[in-house]
C-alpha cells in the first residue's frame, strides 16, 4: 500500500510540470541528447538535467551516456496504475450522476 | 495552451498527495462533513481543510455549508484532459516498441 501510494505520488508530481510533460512528449517523437532538449526548451543544461533526473527516477525517461553525449529516450513506465486510478474516479463520478438521476426520477411526481 | 497547461499542472499536483487522493476516493462512496474526513484520516481540521482547498480549486471536490456544518461532495471535474494525456503517452510507448520490433525483425538476417 505504501509502495503503491509512493509510486502514484511521484508519478503525478513528475507530471505536474509543463516542461517535464513536454520532455516526455518530445521523446515520444524520437531520442534526443541533453543539449538538444536544452535548446528545444530554451533552458540551461543544469535546468534541463534537474527535470531529467526527476523523470528518470519515476521511469518516464531513460538516459544513456556514450562518449561525451548523454542520449535521452522514453522510459518503460506505462502509467498504468495512474490511468487505473483515473478510470476508477470516472466510474465513481458516473455512479454518483446515476444516483442523482434516479433520485430526480423518483421525486418527479412529488411536485405536481 | 497556457490554460490547458496550467489545468494539467494543478490537477496532477493535487493528485500527487495520498491524503488528497484518499479524500476523493472517500467522497466517491458518499458525501462527508469536514469533521468526518478529519476523523477518517486522523488529521486536524486545519490540515484537512488545507487539502480540501486544493481539491476544491481544481474542481475535484465541492463543499457546501448548511448551518454550522460544511458538507463535502465529489466535484464535477472529470480528469478527461489528464486521462487523454496518459492515453497519448501509452500510444507513443507502443509506437516506440513497434519500431523497435520492426528494427529487430529487419536486422535478424544480418547475424547469420
Amino acid at each position: 500500500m505504501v509502495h503503491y501510494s509512493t509510486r502514484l505520488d511521484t508519478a503525478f508530481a513528475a507530471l505536474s510540470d509543463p516542461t517535464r510533460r513536454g520532455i516526455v512528449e518530445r521523446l515520444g517523437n524520437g531520442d534526443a541528447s541533453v543539449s538538444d532538449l536544452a535548446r528545444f526548451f530554451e533552458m540551461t543544461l543544469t535546468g534541463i538535467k534537474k527535470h531529467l533526473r526527476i523523470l528518470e527516477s519515476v521511469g518516464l525517461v531513460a538516459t544513456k551516456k556514450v562518449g561525451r553525449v548523454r542520449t535521452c529516450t522514453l522510459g518503460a513506465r506505462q502509467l498504468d496504475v495512474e490511468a487505473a486510478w483515473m478510470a476508477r474516479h470516472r466510474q465513481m463520478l458516473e455512479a454518483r450522476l446515476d444516483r442523482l438521476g434516479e433520485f430526480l426520477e423518483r421525486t418527479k411526481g412529488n411536485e405536481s
Side-chain angles (χ1 to χ4, degrees), chain A residues 50-108:
Chain A
K50 204 172 132 190
H51 286 310
L52 285 172
R53 260 198 304 278
I54 293 171
L55 289 169
E56 214 174 349
S57 72
V58 298
L60 282 165
V61 164
T63 72
K64 200 170 78 173
K65 198 165 184 176
V66 178
R68 296 179 64 180
V69 178
R70 183 171 290 278
T71 304
C72 309
T73 173
L74 217 52
R77 173 73 171 270
Q78 288 190 15
L79 296 171
D80 44 353
V81 183
E82 295 72 17
W85 196 93
M86 289 195 171
R88 217 165 54 238
H89 176 261
R90 180 178 288 247
Q91 279 170 358
M92 288 194 301
L93 259 188
E94 278 167 8
R96 199 193 57 161
L97 287 175
D98 284 350
R99 283 198 301 274
L100 185 65
E102 281 166 26
F103 172 78
L104 291 175
E105 195 59 38
R106 224 172 34 238
T107 52
K108 211 166 57 179

